[in-house]
Coordinates of all heavy atoms in Angstrom, one line a residue:
L1288 N -21.5 -8.6 -1.1 CA -20.1 -8.6 -0.9 C -19.6 -8.2 0.4 O -18.4 -8.3 0.8 CB -19.4 -7.7 -2.0 CG -19.5 -8.2 -3.5 CD1 -19.0 -7.1 -4.4 CD2 -18.7 -9.5 -3.7
Q1402 N 4.6 -12.1 -13.3 CA 4.6 -12.8 -14.6 C 5.8 -12.6 -15.4 O 6.4 -13.5 -16.0 CB 3.4 -12.3 -15.5 CG 3.3 -13.0 -16.8 CD 2.5 -12.2 -17.8 OE1 2.7 -10.9 -17.8 NE2 1.7 -12.8 -18.6
G1432 N -4.2 -16.8 -26.2 CA -2.7 -16.8 -26.3 C -2.1 -15.5 -25.8 O -0.9 -15.3 -25.9

Side-chain angles (χ1 to χ4, degrees):
L1288 290 173
Q1402 180 204 39

